[in-house]
Amino acid sequence: MSYPGYPPTGYPPFPGYPPAGQESSFPPPGQYPYPSGFPPMGGGAYPPAPSGAYPGAGGYPASGGYPAPGGYPGAPQPGGAPSYPGVPPGQGYGAPPSGAGFSGYPQPPAQTYGGGPAQVPLPGGFPGGQMPSQYPGGQAPYPSQPAAVTQGTQGTIRPAASFDALRDAEILRKAMKGFGTDEQAIVDIVASRSNDQRQKIKAAFKTMYGKDLIKDLKSELSGNMEELILALFMPPTYYDAWSLRNAMQGAGTQERVLIEILCTRTNQEIREIVRCYQSEFGRDLEKDIKSDTSGHFERLLVSMCQGNRDENQSVNHQMAQDDAQRLYQAGEGRLGTDESCFNMILATRSFPQLKATMEAYSRMSNRDLLSSVGREFSGYVESGLKTILQCALNRPAFFAERLYYSMKGAGTDDSTLVRIVVSRSEIDLVQIKQMFTQMYQKTLGTMIASDTSGDYRKLLLAIVGQ
């Protein structure tokens, strides 16, 4: 059985996915061998967003200005990414927690950097709500579309060719045994194995030593390094489900985590996340979203939870023209905003279709649809709608921007940095790195190296292939 969703089964911008024979079903409940006491990720809670404050809000060029995803020489053709065999059976996570308290997952403590809470700089915090002056006209440096477009995506982590789960388990055991921990040995193994291979190492470790690898790693590591290692050992669908659960438990909600996951995944990935959320945590994702969000933002996320977006790759240009007209009449062309019209079109149309709609909107109204959303909406619903449009234009550029703002300014939003690097490492991190350099005139590795330290930095750089 292949592991669903990762690599990018069915990402709309890349025709040819899923490769034939890689369609799969979700593994039955209890197949994720994680202890119930898995710690929540510390930090990463975003400060309250000012109106319209999404990194880069207002700073997007007209819709023609984004390179198509995967448009890089040397990217593999569709079908070149590995499939994910089923996660080896284990003890499960324990009985699903009951009640709102979710006892196995205490609320993460506020993580501080340099004596104060982590701050994520947002454009709304700049004078006049503009981007810094080094961006002429207040626009973020989004690159123009390259002439040649190569289809496909590429992760920085590939399965190790001469893989031996028993040998790797033995190396990890030696690295943790006795006085001190050989972090370099752990980095060398973890960063050069695919997620599926890490699941096999975990199973081999328990078979050989009668001990849980995750518990042993937790006892030897701490802080950001622990967070990163544990994220790498979670099966991808569980990691998304766990991140969503963690974003909504306790006081406050990390809305941007909900946006980042629910507005960027494929239908298959979302449906599997919903099932995993129910089977592993004993909770209904849609109900949790309804109890933690409200208004038009709640409706957008509930729409995303259905996993019913059209994924037909062909574009209907007449529909694009009609949708552009409807969106104009629902926003710029009237007093007030018909939010339901925006929700309906952005939640149901395929990403290639939305890209065509954005182009039609620009031709028809002489305005950019992203800018119009910024004028008609505010807060988290604006961020969610913009995320959908950004993914329609250029998904790697969206993640590159998220990574940039996780490290820009004082302090680092480590949870966002870890989550994106880990979750995209076998999908499109090569493209994200290329977009990062194109957009910010520095490499992702350079920025990570200057914002992190120690073994945490070593492992991050090994994952991004620096």
Side-chain angles (χ1 to χ4, degrees), residues 409-421:
T412 303
D413 176 7
D414 289 287
S415 285
T416 294
L417 175 58
V418 166
R419 188 174 56 253
I420 295 177
V421 166

Side-chain angles (χ1 to χ4, degrees), residues 302-339:
V302 168
S303 293
M304 294 298 99
C305 269
Q306 307 313 305
N308 280 330
R309 180 181 298 283
D310 176 23
E311 291 189 336
N312 186 345
Q313 295 303 298
S314 60
V315 172
N316 181 331
H317 292 284
Q318 183 58 51
M319 180 192 286
Q321 191 69 36
D322 295 345
D323 283 350
Q325 186 71 41
R326 291 168 75 181
L327 290 171
Y328 183 79
Q329 295 299 336
E332 299 277 12
R334 59 176 283 168
L335 189 63
T337 307
D338 178 2
E339 294 89 355

Side-chain angles (χ1 to χ4, degrees), residues 380-428:
Y380 292 116
V381 67
E382 176 196 355
S383 298
L385 293 170
K386 281 185 172 179
T387 296
I388 294 167
L389 294 175
Q390 288 157 21
C391 284
L393 289 168
N394 187 330
R395 195 183 312 261
F398 166 76
F399 286 113
E401 184 190 59
R402 287 282 283 148
L403 285 168
Y404 178 75
Y405 281 97
S406 75
M407 293 179 280
K408 186 180 183 296
T412 303
D413 176 7
D414 289 287
S415 285
T416 294
L417 175 58
V418 166
R419 188 174 56 253
I420 295 177
V421 166
V422 171
S423 65
R424 311 309 294 184
S425 63
E426 294 182 50
I427 302 175
D428 54 2

Side-chain angles (χ1 to χ4, degrees), residues 50 53 121-130:
L122 298 172
F126 295 120
Q130 293 301 310

Side-chain angles (χ1 to χ4, degrees), residues 25 42 114-115 182 184 212 223 237 439:
S25 59
D182 183 357
Q184 188 60 51
D212 190 287
T237 298
M439 291 161 67

